[in-house]
Amino acid sequence: METEDSSSENGLLHRKQALYSSLDSCFEIQKEMYRGQQYSQIYFARLHLMRTLLYSLLPNWKPHIHVCTVIGLEEGKECIIVGTLYKHMKLKPSILEEYSKERSATPLVRPHNFMHPDDHLILEDESGRIKVCGDVLLPSVYVTGVVVALHGKETGTGDFWVEDVMEAGIPHQIERPIKSGEDKYVIFVSGLDIGSSTSNPLKFQLLVDHITGHLGDKKEQSIAAKIVRVIIAGNSVEIPRGLLNGQNLGSKDQFTLSEPIKELDIQLTQIAAGIPVDIMPGPNDPANFSLPQQPLHRCLFPSSSAYNTFRSCPNPHLFQLDDVSLLGTSGQNIDDLEKYSDANDKLEFLERTLRWRHVAPTAPNTLGCYPFTDRDPFFVETCPHVYFVGNQEKYETRLIKGAEGQIVRLICIPRFSETGVAVVLNLRNLECHALSFGTEFG
Amino acid sequence: MFSAEGKLFIGFGSSLPLFGCEIRLPHADPNMAEIETLGILDEIQSLVSDKLQVVSYKWLSRNFLVSSNDAKRLLQDFVEKRGTGVEVVYTLSGWLKTDPSVYHIRLVSKPKLTEVKQEFDENCSVQIYSVQACLPKDPAVLWNAEFVQAEELFKQPHEVNNCLRDNRFCGILNSFVKRNAEEANGTTSVLPVKTTGTSGSSGYTLANQSPTIPQPQQKKIQGTSPNVTLQSPNVVKDVKNESKPAENKLKVPQLTVNTKKGETDKNSSGTGGALANMWGRASAKSKAECASAKTNGISNSADAQICAREEIEHESSDDEGQGVNVRRSYNGEVGRKRRVVFDFSDEEDEFKDAVNLASPDPPKKKSMLDSKRSSYSSDIEKSKLNFEEEKEDKPNFKHRKETDRKSKEENLAFGNHNNMNSSSSEKVINQVPAVDTIAKDKTRDAAPNSPKRKKVLKTRIDERGREVTEVVWEGEEETKPESDTTKKADNIPASNNSNRPSAVKKSPAVTANAPLNQVGKTGSKKAGNKDPKQGNILSFFKRV
């Protein structure tokens, strides 16, 4: 293990290192071929994948109940059906409405929640669909795209009365070797929004200075020397979209348009010169719209991409640091869940996606997604140790435990431009704390 | 200007020195240190009072080439000795009392210092941040001078390793950081090791040195020689120079990395269809030329060149998955007899509907082939050759230009009859699926030498509802050898080529001498083909 302790040598500290490996190959779409297909194939892949999984879990759940497909349901007979849930929502906006809004230069208004008391769930597999009723399966909790196993029976009215529901559950987690080790920190930050009117460049500069070891006294710098990686989880720039009106841009406009990216590049250069950094695209970044978002192109970062510490990553991003596996997104999946379902806090959404074993169940229904033909890359194969989401309102974190003893640290990373808060994670014990910056010195 | 042994001091003026050694203020020599400090303090004084600039510690460190910690000490000295009349901003950092899980770093002005300190834990640290003539209303103003300086450093030529780029004045050293100070555009993109566990410093390629050498185990090499001295800024340079020999050592393990990468770079045809690869590559050919015998389908992306370079390395790995080595045949070497095996069976069906997102082939390739065909003779051999080359071109033209497809396919189908003996074509033929309008095309050029032909551009809607524009020959010479097309007859959808009926006439005569005519037909067909192709490529484009 090539780690170095931060003992000072001639008064200078060494930065700690951590073994990094990226597992993002499933999120790349270069190999995919677009043949004009739509989304039936990704749904089928998802259903097939998760149904196989659920069938394997059924014997532990209710071994005596007979399993059948939707078409094979008999009235009054208790059985288990496995399929994809579809939530019929009265207030769900139509695509035409959204299209016309997107065409305008002004950004979309942050959408509200589209739930309605009349929403109901329908279970669908490749043989048919059936409306689901009962108190066990709450429409407010579930969203379209989740694959579950339902135990119940068909009623006289042709609905399926649910007695019990089984989700895929948190996947198996590779255990971390328990060793005392040393503290190594990972910094998560998102929503830098460089170029926007709300972002304060001084705050970000303070963050950069703190991470790279300029700020602070010896003690603080020795703590900063233990930071091994910086993850920037989306929305790093805000391009002035008002300039993009379909016409050719004059040189002055072009300059204004590229200013934020250049500023980001300067800051990233400062970070990359001292510490490995991963940057993920977000909803507002110059990257593709549909998930999985492909890594930001390195031509945007002419200076930072010269460093071997600079890495442009896709969204979602799955990687490993030492023996901790981390998975996270820039926020689109959780924001979409928030629009179509209800929970006490964002962490609950996060936990649900983990229990459903799918990072973005609403893709491709309401969340833009690439029409994969033979796989569903958002399926969570093994349980990560850290599961994060960026661009949220506030910093929240929780440690959840799974049935098999899995331990996951859930993190909501707040928008830095609004809150000035970044998140610090200790890889040794998965402890988290906030790192906040204030510049009101008056 | 002060200079002392072992130290270099470039001061005065706001010009940024490009090179410099880090200044250490040794306390062993207090007199010297004092003199130097005095000079800098004077400088700060003038900047703050006269030029009304915000002097932050960072700005100071970069301007006078001192470490950040020393810069802070200097500012502290300044405040102590000449602090009257200047505003000071401090950074206060520590754990908040109110929320012990938050580590807060805050800027605070001198007057408010004690007050804000209450919010923090006892162990908070206070450090000077900046001095300025007066406190600005907008805190971001503090950042401006620093950013302007950073921008200037940023704009320096890429090869220069200045203090912004190597972070030399911070308090933490990271010897694993490598920066490619050479040609910025030439660097291959960061597509480093995906699966092996490496540290953040790995996986970076220095393309200029040799094509595609990522450095997956760079860290390990470095780890064994952590002898970077921290005193001089040359550290980074040394480390960088080390990287070169290190790379060369790592060639072997890198190949495995490369193959992985090569696989990911492979063409968009996830199913490994050879056809799709070919047509994707065909458009890339004009860029990559013959350098990369097999390029992937990322021809249209900016990474094409980079990937092309990588492809050279990965050819062997790519070939395994393909089974077809069509690319080489495209390089104008159509005259050579070559055995080409096409796996048509699946691809035709799969890729029929595939949306071709690649740019269409350059016209020159077609004309090259056309010229070949123009030298047709009734030689079976030649026909075989032509057949093969046509076959190779088939995927090339597998786009919405129905003309080409049909003409190719007709040749293929025709070759079916011709080259029964030829084993090479047999494989192909057996797999040629039902294609549209084969017979129709077959007939079209049965009478190449007739002067009554006329090229006409016809637009029609084919059976799938697609608008098809094709160049057809009008005139009675069009033949439709029904007997020859018995095999394909079923496959021919209702074609609306008006020339077809006229073609029927000739068929009896043509089929009289089966073998010879078949050859003749091939030849004539080819000749017939050649004319419309040869003549009309340019005219077609001109028209457009």
Side-chain angles (χ1 to χ4, degrees):
Chain A
M1 272 263 298
E2 279 77 358
T3 57
E4 298 193 359
D5 53 67
S6 60
S7 60
S8 49
E9 235 186 63
N10 301 327
L12 273 178
L13 303 160
H14 283 266
R15 186 170 292 283
K16 290 209 182 171
Q17 306 291 327
L19 279 174
Y20 175 85
S21 67
S22 160
L23 307 161
D24 286 328
S25 52
C26 53
F27 299 125
E28 299 191 351
I29 59 177
Q30 279 80 10
K31 281 183 280 194
E32 301 297 322
M33 164 171 295
Y34 182 64
R35 287 185 244 128
Q37 71 268 23
Q38 293 192 12
Y39 296 106
S40 62
Q41 283 163 305
I42 186 177
Y43 272 124
F44 182 72
R46 186 185 301 177
L47 175 65
H48 191 71
L49 186 60
M50 296 198 68
R51 187 168 53 189
T52 318
L53 171 71
L54 285 168
Y55 278 176
S56 69
L57 295 173
L58 284 178
N60 296 335
W61 183 46
K62 292 188 186 205
H64 309 298
I65 315 280
H66 141 79
V67 178
C68 64
T69 59
V70 170
I71 207 86
L73 280 176
E74 290 165 28
E75 189 180 326
K77 183 170 172 193
E78 236 181 279
C79 61
I80 293 178
I81 51 173
V82 177
T84 315
L85 283 174
Y86 173 77
K87 184 150 111 174
H88 183 87
M89 301 183 78
K90 199 162 148 170
L91 297 178
K92 183 173 145 188
S94 79
I95 186 64
L96 292 176
E97 203 182 299
E98 281 195 24
Y99 180 72
S100 62
K101 275 190 203 157
E102 261 188 48
R103 291 284 278 183
S104 65
T106 53
L108 279 173
V109 173
R110 205 171 289 282
H112 52 281
N113 190 286
F114 297 115
M115 288 175 54
H116 191 272
D118 287 346
D119 295 340
H120 57 269
L121 292 168
I122 297 166
L123 189 85
E124 180 178 319
D125 67 9
E126 69 266 22
S127 63
R129 37 157 62 185
I130 186 162
K131 183 173 166 199
V132 154
C133 54
D135 303 325
V136 181
L137 211 61
L138 291 171
S140 59
V141 170
Y142 288 88
V143 287
T144 302
V146 182
V147 179
V148 289
L150 299 180
H151 165 224
K153 54 167 98 77
E154 185 181 349
T155 63
T157 54
D159 297 344
F160 189 83
W161 176 267
V162 179
E163 288 173 30
D164 202 357
V165 62
M166 180 179 80
E167 300 163 338
I170 300 182
H172 172 72
Q173 186 180 66
I174 298 172
E175 263 188 57
R176 298 177 56 205
I178 303 169
K179 48 169 194 184
S180 51
E182 25 186 26
D183 289 338
K184 286 190 193 175
Y185 298 107
V186 179
I187 299 247
F188 293 94
V189 67
S190 78
L192 298 168
D193 288 331
I194 292 180
S196 80
S197 50
T198 52
S199 80
N200 184 345
L202 184 59
K203 271 193 201 166
F204 186 39
Q205 186 67 60
L206 285 177
L207 175 67
V208 172
D209 287 348
H210 171 77
I211 295 174
T212 48
H214 288 278
L215 208 64
D217 58 355
K218 209 56 169 183
K219 187 181 63 158
E220 188 169 309
Q221 285 178 1
S222 66
I223 298 175
K226 296 181 187 171
I227 302 174
V228 291
R229 204 156 193 105
V230 178
I231 314 288
I232 302 179
N235 280 359
S236 315
V237 281
E238 191 171 292
I239 313 277
R241 288 183 202 274
L243 294 173
L244 302 169
N245 56 2
Q247 311 224 328
N248 286 337
L249 291 178
S251 59
K252 184 164 167 288
D253 282 347
Q254 279 182 19
F255 181 75
T256 321
L257 197 66
S258 62
E259 267 305 286
I261 284 278
K262 203 184 83 169
E263 193 181 317
L264 177 65
D265 195 20
I266 297 179
Q267 306 292 50
L268 283 178
T269 306
Q270 294 178 48
I271 302 179
I275 178 171
V277 58
D278 282 4
I279 181 162
M280 292 162 61
N284 295 342
D285 284 327
N288 61 313
F289 168 74
S290 58
L291 291 187
Q293 279 185 298
Q294 297 304 291
L296 291 166
H297 199 279
R298 43 182 290 279
C299 72
L300 295 169
F301 308 109
S303 164
S304 330
S305 51
Y307 291 87
N308 62 344
T309 45
F310 176 83
R311 250 194 108 105
S312 186
C313 307
N315 169 33
H317 185 30
L318 176 62
F319 61 103
Q320 214 164 347
L321 270 177
D322 285 346
D323 42 26
V324 177
S325 73
L326 300 95
L327 169 66
T329 63
S330 301
Q332 292 104 322
N333 56 334
I334 302 300
D335 289 344
D336 209 55
L337 279 183
E338 197 191 13
K339 282 191 248 170
Y340 298 100
S341 64
D342 205 18
N344 295 326
D345 55 13
K346 293 292 180 73
L347 293 173
E348 202 173 323
F349 286 125
L350 265 184
E351 192 176 338
R352 281 184 198 163
T353 58
L354 208 53
R355 289 195 191 278
W356 294 332
R357 242 187 253 210
H358 200 275
V359 171
T362 52
N365 185 38
T366 44
L367 191 57
C369 172
Y370 182 86
F372 291 98
T373 52
D374 54 355
R375 62 193 176 96
D376 186 347
F378 304 111
F379 177 72
V380 183
E381 306 249 355
T382 51
C383 185
H385 298 94
V386 178
Y387 186 32
F388 63 90
V389 63
N391 294 301
Q392 300 305 308
E393 278 87 36
K394 56 186 171 127
Y395 161 63
E396 288 177 299
T397 182
R398 195 188 298 159
L399 203 63
I400 60 167
K401 293 195 169 44
E404 295 168 25
Q406 305 98 323
I407 297 179
V408 189
R409 165 66 65 184
L410 303 178
I411 306 178
C412 282
I413 310 169
R415 285 174 221 121
F416 192 80
S417 63
E418 293 171 13
T419 59
V421 173
V423 181
V424 184
L425 168 79
N426 187 346
L427 287 178
R428 177 177 64 89
N429 52 14
L430 298 184
E431 294 277 321
C432 241
H433 67 262
L435 182 63
S436 79
F437 295 88
T439 53
E440 295 304 317
F441 51 73
Chain B
M1 275 295 208
F2 297 94
S3 66
E5 301 145 290
K7 298 182 204 88
L8 176 66
F9 178 49
I10 307 172
F12 290 119
S14 52
S15 63
L16 289 171
L18 287 184
F19 303 104
C21 299
E22 195 174 300
I23 297 186
R24 287 262 166 227
L25 300 176
H27 302 295
D29 195 355
N31 290 334
M32 276 304 177
E34 236 176 81
I35 296 171
E36 283 193 13
T37 318
L38 279 176
I40 301 180
L41 293 188
D42 287 333
E43 181 73 17
I44 301 174
Q45 175 90 57
S46 79
L47 283 167
V48 172
S49 325
D50 305 332
K51 297 186 194 160
L52 298 181
Q53 189 192 315
V54 173
V55 178
S56 64
Y57 75 94
K58 193 95 164 295
W59 187 92
L60 200 69
S61 96
R62 286 189 179 148
N63 201 30
F64 294 110
L65 307 173
V66 295
S67 79
S68 297
N69 294 333
D70 289 335
K72 284 179 226 164
R73 269 191 287 252
L74 281 171
L75 279 183
Q76 192 63 37
D77 279 346
F78 176 78
V79 169
E80 282 164 15
K81 293 175 186 160
R82 327 251 182 117
T84 51
V86 282
E87 296 285 348
V88 190
V89 172
Y90 293 93
T91 52
L92 206 54
S93 44
W95 298 93
L96 281 182
K97 265 192 200 157
T98 49
D99 193 352
S101 71
V102 178
Y103 190 85
H104 195 61
I105 296 177
R106 200 168 142 172
L107 291 181
V108 62
S109 61
K110 197 167 179 182
K112 297 266 172 76
L113 186 56
T114 39
E115 180 188 327
V116 176
K117 228 173 161 179
Q118 302 304 317
E119 294 175 23
F120 284 79
D121 225 0
E122 302 84 37
N123 313 339
C124 69
S125 70
V126 179
Q127 292 235 296
I128 195 160
Y129 185 78
S130 70
V131 292
Q132 52 272 313
C134 55
L135 287 175
K137 284 216 180 76
D138 179 11
V141 170
L142 290 186
W143 172 78
N144 276 346
E146 213 179 280
F147 186 66
V148 166
Q149 182 191 51
E151 249 186 308
E152 275 192 41
L153 288 168
F154 184 73
K155 282 183 191 154
Q156 285 179 352
H158 195 84
E159 299 77 38
V160 173
N161 223 12
N162 55 35
C163 58
L164 176 82
R165 292 182 179 149
D166 60 15
N167 211 30
R168 60 184 77 160
F169 295 131
C170 69
I172 303 169
L173 188 89
N174 188 350
S175 54
F176 298 96
V177 179
K178 310 272 169 304
R179 179 175 171 269
N180 178 14
E182 288 154 22
E183 178 60 47
N185 300 325
T187 58
T188 65
S189 103
V190 180
L191 292 171
V193 179
K194 293 226 164 31
T195 52
T196 65
T198 54
S199 80
S201 64
S202 65
Y204 174 64
T205 61
L206 297 180
N208 284 344
Q209 292 159 13
S210 49
T212 70
I213 301 190
Q215 304 160 11
Q217 273 86 32
Q218 185 79 20
K219 185 179 181 317
K220 292 211 179 87
I221 301 277
Q222 294 301 328
T224 55
S225 58
N227 53 358
V228 277
T229 56
L230 312 172
Q231 300 303 337
S232 72
N234 294 326
V235 140
V236 179
K237 291 200 176 87
D238 288 340
V239 159
K240 215 155 40 71
N241 292 335
E242 268 179 23
S243 71
K244 286 187 197 181
E247 281 168 50
N248 297 332
K249 293 183 215 161
L250 300 172
K251 270 197 178 145
V252 172
Q254 284 152 9
L255 277 179
T256 52
V257 174
N258 281 346
T259 41
K260 277 204 168 55
K261 181 181 174 322
E263 281 161 23
T264 62
D265 276 345
K266 247 199 297 204
N267 201 344
S268 49
S269 63
T271 52
L275 269 182
N277 286 346
M278 286 183 292
W279 107 63
R281 263 182 251 122
S283 35
K285 190 215 170 203
S286 47
K287 283 187 196 170
E289 283 302 313
C290 308
S292 58
K294 245 196 211 188
T295 61
N296 50 29
I298 321 179
S299 55
N300 300 325
S301 78
D303 283 334
Q305 203 185 359
I306 296 164
C307 292
R309 242 186 268 156
E310 307 242 13
E311 284 296 315
I312 300 171
E313 309 267 339
H314 309 158
E315 226 179 274
S316 52
S317 60
D318 279 343
D319 279 355
E320 287 149 21
Q322 309 292 346
V324 177
N325 220 344
V326 183
R327 186 26 119 209
R328 301 208 169 83
S329 69
Y330 286 147
N331 300 344
E333 300 164 303
V334 283
R336 293 225 300 267
K337 213 194 309 188
R338 203 166 299 104
R339 195 166 277 245
V340 178
V341 176
F342 272 43
D343 184 16
F344 273 136
S345 52
D346 291 339
E347 277 109 46
E348 267 298 308
D349 298 331
E350 277 178 25
F351 302 134
K352 243 187 215 176
D353 300 329
V355 175
N356 180 10
L357 303 171
S359 47
D361 297 320
K364 77 169 166 89
K365 197 188 313 189
K366 268 169 124 187
S367 52
M368 203 158 52
L369 296 163
D370 292 335
S371 62
K372 268 294 170 196
R373 252 173 276 144
S374 66
S375 58
Y376 165 78
S377 67
S378 57
D379 189 26
I380 297 182
E381 194 70 13
K382 199 83 184 272
S383 73
K384 215 195 293 184
L385 284 174
N386 287 342
F387 162 72
E388 281 177 325
E389 102 198 17
E390 304 257 347
K391 205 173 38 185
E392 287 150 9
D393 293 331
K394 180 177 189 311
N396 255 353
F397 303 113
K398 198 173 169 57
H399 44 62
R400 298 276 162 140
K401 279 184 163 187
E402 292 275 27
T403 24
D404 304 327
R405 189 166 88 134
K406 280 178 290 206
S407 57
K408 293 300 162 291
E409 286 154 0
E410 79 182 72
N411 288 325
L412 288 165
F414 219 94
N416 195 357
H417 304 285
N418 268 339
N419 305 324
M420 285 308 190
N421 305 325
S422 155
S423 51
S424 66
S425 37
E426 236 173 38
K427 280 186 214 162
V428 180
I429 289 145
N430 293 340
Q431 292 162 333
V432 172
V435 275
D436 312 333
T437 69
I438 287 181
K440 171 174 71 105
D441 294 330
K442 265 205 253 185
T443 70
R444 203 182 305 146
D445 32 42
N449 303 319
S450 167
K452 291 187 203 158
R453 280 174 308 145
K454 202 171 64 171
K455 307 177 261 177
V456 165
L457 198 65
K458 266 190 140 49
T459 305
R460 62 179 177 88
I461 307 289
D462 76 359
E463 72 286 355
R464 287 171 191 266
R466 295 181 289 212
E467 189 183 89
V468 171
T469 304
E470 46 184 85
V471 176
V472 296
W473 290 98
E474 264 183 9
E476 50 203 80
E477 300 73 21
E478 293 295 330
T479 61
K480 184 177 176 183
E482 311 265 28
S483 55
D484 292 331
T485 61
T486 40
K487 277 189 193 173
K488 309 288 173 208
D490 302 335
N491 306 328
I492 302 164
S495 170
N496 38 12
N497 186 349
S498 61
N499 299 327
R500 257 198 175 181
S502 56
V504 184
K505 286 181 233 161
K506 273 254 173 125
S507 59
V510 177
T511 55
N513 309 321
L516 194 57
N517 270 4
Q518 280 183 353
V519 173
K521 232 178 282 192
T522 320
S524 64
K525 202 173 42 171
K526 292 221 172 11
N529 250 358
K530 98 175 170 243
D531 279 338
K533 285 291 156 280
Q534 190 180 39
N536 95 43
I537 285 297
L538 303 171
S539 63
F540 182 71
F541 276 93
K542 267 190 218 144
R543 238 176 274 201
V544 172

